[in-house]
Amino acid sequence: MFDPSLCTEEEIARFVAAFYAKVRKDERLGPVFDAHVDDWDHHLAKLTDFWSSMLRGTRRYAGTPMARHAALPDLDETLFARWLELFGQTAHEQDNAAMATRAETLARRIAQSLWLGYQMQHHPDRLARDLPCA
């Protein structure tokens, strides 16, 4: 499950920074994030804590990603798919292949879970659909 020897904190921080630099420049995802993130330094620190917790088991992250994502308006599966596409591209650019593989696997699971939760929150009367790429 968690493996503190899988990667270093520096590798996680570089990965998160590289990924969200792509997200911010993306024509579809950039505006969504810019509309909801007021302090990018704080957000990146929180996301680094999240990935440290997920990959190394540090338990540094304390938050409610499901509630935060469910509160966002007008998300659709193409945004989640684009997020996963950029995540995969960034993962493949990392020197630490084991970290990248584990992060990509977790990202697919997390995106699927967030997407299903989002649909249940916004469309409780409809049957939730899986992400096509999950």
Side-chain angles (χ1 to χ4, degrees), residues 8-124:
T8 67
E9 292 297 324
E10 293 78 20
E11 287 173 315
I12 293 170
R14 280 193 304 270
F15 181 46
V16 168
F19 171 60
Y20 281 97
K22 288 181 184 188
V23 166
R24 292 178 77 181
K25 291 178 186 173
D26 188 76
E27 66 181 34
R28 297 233 26 242
L29 294 176
V32 174
F33 278 83
D34 285 340
H36 300 284
V37 177
D38 296 323
D39 182 347
W40 271 100
D41 290 337
H42 176 74
H43 192 64
L44 290 174
K46 185 176 276 205
L47 291 166
T48 300
D49 286 347
F50 175 82
W51 284 104
S52 176
S53 295
M54 296 302 294
L55 295 168
R56 302 186 79 232
T58 61
R59 299 182 184 192
R60 288 198 333 237
Y61 178 78
T64 55
M66 182 65 75
R68 288 227 178 257
H69 287 81
L72 298 173
D74 302 323
L75 298 184
D76 64 43
E77 66 248 28
T78 66
L79 293 171
F80 284 84
R82 180 65 180 150
W83 186 93
L84 282 171
E85 181 182 356
L86 292 178
F87 195 95
Q89 287 174 9
T90 310
H92 291 279
E93 295 166 359
Q94 302 307 299
D95 292 333
N96 184 334
M99 176 194 72
T101 298
R102 180 71 179 142
E104 196 170 12
T105 298
L106 290 169
R108 281 193 299 273
R109 291 179 187 168
I110 292 163
Q112 178 69 23
S113 177
L114 291 174
W115 172 235
L116 291 174
Y118 185 86
Q119 292 175 88
M120 291 170 60
Q121 177 74 25
H122 289 265
H123 309 289

